[in-house]
Amino acid sequence: MTLQFSTVTHRGRITIVTLSRPEVMNALHSDAHFELHQVFNEFANDPEQWVAIVTGAGDKAFCAGNDLKWQAAGGRRGWDSSGFAGLTARFDCDKPIIAAVNGVAMGGGFEAALACDLIVASENAVFALPEPRVGLAALAGGLHRLPRQIGLKRAMGMILTGRNVTAREGFELGFVNEVAPAGEALAAAARWAETICKNSPMSIRASKQAIQRGSMVSLQEAIGDQRDYPAVRAMVASQDYIEGPKAFAEKRAPRWVGK
């Protein structure tokens, strides 16, 4: 696939997706959304890739959100079934995705980061859902994910004011996992990804799926049903399920095959 608005590189088991529209602070338009839909589909379907990192080109912005100038000029709007940046409505990917936020993450950019499993932010990162300032609302998941991740009152404080939040405050609020020095968000995210890759990918996928599905039902139902979740069943039937205990008993590092 020929990419126009993003780049994809691989570091072993890790896929790095870079939003690449630096001339507009990596703001995204319809064509970019459809491209990223395919990019993350390929990651999800590639058995050799276990973790993805998404970041922005340059050192100023992760993603400034929706390309309002494109919209105002009458540009085509919309995205595929996976939502903004190919992420905000992607509910069927059991592989971990990490946001390496290297600058501004506004509106849809913040919503895309919230849709990731981890957020690593550089010290110069700034987060906001400023849609009300331009007569819009954060309907790509921000209005629902942010309250679930940091609590209702804190989220309301951000959403109703549209105020900017620094990386340090994001860490204190709980939606940022680590604050890295300026320019080092990607390196820090790669360290997280490499640590994840030391674990069984089957166990990681089972854990993510159980968390996601379990969060939508009661605790009793989640615990009662989890062994029937597809990724959990796949884990139990996998070679990794045998390799892990065997490696522990033999006092050696496990050799994961991911199936």
Side-chain angles (χ1 to χ4, degrees):
M1 178 175 61
T2 301
L3 302 178
Q4 292 181 277
F5 312 110
S6 62
T7 63
V8 176
T9 57
H10 298 103
R11 295 183 187 177
R13 302 289 192 178
I14 303 167
T15 295
I16 301 173
V17 179
T18 303
L19 310 179
S20 189
R21 299 189 76 219
E23 70 280 4
V24 289
M25 299 185 74
N26 301 319
L28 301 178
H29 56 8
S30 183
D31 291 346
H33 296 312
F34 280 92
E35 177 176 297
L36 289 163
H37 172 79
Q38 294 299 325
V39 165
F40 284 107
N41 279 356
E42 290 189 7
F43 161 69
N45 294 327
D46 187 345
E48 299 302 317
Q49 295 300 293
W50 293 359
V51 182
I53 299 172
V54 57
T55 192
D59 56 4
K60 294 182 179 180
F62 171 73
C63 174
N66 182 37
D67 189 339
L68 293 177
K69 291 183 179 179
W70 169 273
Q71 179 178 329
R76 180 171 70 112
R77 299 181 61 188
W79 45 61
D80 214 311
S81 58
S82 58
F84 191 98
L87 289 171
T88 60
R90 185 175 293 275
F91 298 105
D92 58 353
C93 181
D94 299 320
K95 298 179 181 180
I97 302 176
I98 303 172
V101 179
N102 53 313
V104 169
M106 297 287 182
F110 186 20
E111 292 176 289
L114 288 171
C116 296
D117 301 296
L118 301 172
I119 296 178
V120 177
S122 61
E123 290 179 329
N124 63 313
V126 180
F127 302 87
L129 294 176
E131 283 85 350
R133 297 180 186 174
V134 292
L136 303 174
L139 298 178
L143 298 180
H144 306 289
R145 284 194 170 94
L146 191 60
R148 284 168 168 78
Q149 293 184 21
I150 69 173
L152 180 60
K153 298 299 185 185
R154 289 178 169 182
M156 283 293 228
M158 286 186 63
I159 292 166
L160 299 184
T161 63
R163 71 183 183 87
N164 292 355
V165 169
T166 66
R168 291 290 176 189
E169 185 178 357
F171 180 79
E172 293 169 1
L173 288 171
F175 66 78
V176 170
N177 294 89
E178 179 182 341
V179 179
E184 296 185 21
L186 180 57
R191 175 168 40 78
W192 281 83
E194 289 162 1
T195 302
I196 292 170
C197 286
K198 293 178 181 179
N199 301 316
S200 164
M202 304 302 290
S203 298
I204 293 298
R205 294 167 203 167
S207 298
K208 177 176 174 177
Q209 188 176 96
I211 291 168
Q212 290 184 318
R213 295 195 177 196
S215 66
M216 296 184 287
V217 299
S218 70
L219 177 61
Q220 181 178 358
E221 187 176 351
I223 293 174
D225 293 348
Q226 62 185 356
R227 289 189 176 275
D228 290 325
Y229 296 159
V232 176
R233 292 171 65 90
M235 176 191 72
V236 174
S238 71
Q239 296 178 50
D240 285 0
Y241 196 70
I242 298 171
E243 169 63 10
K246 183 178 180 181
F248 178 82
E250 295 175 357
K251 298 182 180 180
R252 60 172 174 80
R255 296 183 286 271
W256 308 121
V257 295
K259 59 183 179 179

